[in-house]
Amino acid sequence: MDAVPEDLAELVHRAARATAPYPADLATLRRRARLRRRRRTATAVAGLVVLVALTGGAVPLLVGEHRPAAPLAALSQSPSSPSMTVPGSPPPTPAPAQRLMLSGDGGTVRPHRGGPEVGLVGGVADELRGDGSVLRHRVPAGWEETVALPDGRLVGLKLTDLMPGVRRTDGPDVAGLSIKLMVLSAEGRAEVSREIRVRGQALRLAGADARYAYLARDGVGLVSHELTTGREKTLIRVPTKIDGELPFRAADVAAGRVVSVTGPADMTRCQLDVRRLNGGSRLSRLTVAGECAPSIRLSPDGSLVAVPYRRPNGRNLDYRLAILDTATGQRRADQPLGTATPTFGMTGGGTWGAAWIDDTTVRVVWAHLPDPPRKVYSVAELARVLTVGVQ
């Protein structure tokens, strides 16, 4: 089977937006994507060349202490062998509480006729490990929305075009589209591969744990999908779209809680709701004075949430990171992070994933295009690890 072109996948996951459907030749889109993948070798591509803004950002900040950003090590293709302890050497660094996957939107553009294409794109399933190296996981074609479990497994969605070459209308009701929930073992073996698409219903993977995948289903709300049996249970019912978006967008799940962005996109306010998974009662409504950016992440115990956000500053964007108490809304940290400057119509910098080292310290990945950009860069080429903590 052929992997679904990226534009179709994007429309399926964002089908709640009020955009008119349009005809697309899926075979042509697939050929274009394949050509771009060959040119970019180690990077995945954004299907059609569109100007997708990079968002988020951070600088290495600690309360009372600053740490230099650590450059990422070379890409690995498989898990490293068990580490060995050398007599007299310092003890190994404990593994972070959460795994950090490189993820986020990117874009490319050809600024000059006949000139090179430039931009910044992410890998399909690249993981920043605790030692600073990047592990490139082998995943099936069409893989999206990776959630990394503590036991080494990956949970994600696999989109497949079952009617390659057939001209038809894109959208959540498109014919001949398969969406499977997959669980890959630490060795890359498929443990679960199950069709979960309901035609006409957009869906998103909001999170996962050892027992469940949490799916945001259009017209339903947040459901738990049991990994072993496939049984689903509606946890939080949201039968209608909110501001034209699927419920539980930019969501994260941890410690029996779910945090998600609510309200319309607004450069003056980032609004989030924290709810209990059991029953859906709202614990708090959190706000920060700016637009929500990617990489929102709950701490392992669910007591804190890291919220990157941005504010306009002339033609640039200033970025900050807030760390909020999920029960009271108390702001435990709110630090300036950096500034992104547009490059050929694209935002030049942003965050590409976040994960907590422990219950008080979070890692964020930042990548920014050089000036001037000369090619299409992978996030792993330019990324820096940024650490922010609270007392």
Side-chain angles (χ1 to χ4, degrees), residues 130-277:
D131 61 3
S133 63
V134 174
L135 172 62
R136 174 157 292 160
H137 293 276
R138 295 183 176 93
V139 294
W143 179 271
E144 293 194 358
E145 300 190 13
T146 306
V147 176
L149 301 182
D151 60 10
R153 293 182 295 167
L154 298 180
V155 182
L157 303 181
K158 181 182 184 299
L159 279 67
T160 306
D161 179 14
L162 303 178
M163 300 167 59
V166 177
R167 187 178 181 86
R168 58 201 194 274
T169 301
D170 291 337
D173 198 44
V174 64
L177 172 64
S178 167
I179 303 179
K180 288 186 176 180
L181 177 73
M182 294 192 68
V183 180
L184 303 181
S185 69
E187 297 75 30
R189 183 181 68 257
E191 296 182 349
V192 175
S193 180
R194 181 180 299 125
E195 185 68 36
I196 61 170
R197 185 197 180 199
V198 176
R199 186 169 172 178
Q201 180 188 88
L203 65 89
R204 176 182 294 114
L205 178 63
D209 55 31
R211 185 175 179 183
Y212 297 106
Y214 300 97
L215 304 173
R217 287 191 176 274
D218 185 17
V220 179
L222 188 70
V223 304
S224 62
H225 180 102
E226 192 167 14
L227 298 178
T228 54
T229 66
R231 287 195 295 264
E232 291 194 358
K233 177 183 177 181
T234 301
L235 300 176
I236 306 175
R237 186 169 295 281
V238 183
T240 58
K241 298 182 179 68
I242 301 174
D243 301 302
E245 289 280 353
L246 273 173
F248 304 99
R249 60 189 175 97
D252 191 34
V253 178
R257 299 178 179 183
V258 55
V259 61
S260 61
V261 175
T262 59
D266 186 345
M267 292 300 291
T268 65
R269 185 181 65 163
C270 170
Q271 179 177 290
L272 308 100
D273 281 350
V274 181
R275 296 181 180 273
R276 289 188 176 91
L277 282 176

Side-chain angles (χ1 to χ4, degrees), residues 83-94:
S83 58
M84 299 177 62
T85 302
V86 179
S89 64
T93 303

Side-chain angles (χ1 to χ4, degrees), residues 316-353:
N316 301 324
L317 289 171
D318 289 339
Y319 292 86
R320 300 181 67 91
L321 180 74
I323 297 180
L324 307 175
D325 187 294
T326 57
T328 67
Q330 178 187 0
R331 197 164 300 193
R332 300 290 302 277
D334 192 346
Q335 301 289 349
L337 302 175
T339 300
T341 303
T343 302
F344 298 119
M346 299 180 296
T347 305
T351 54
W352 292 77

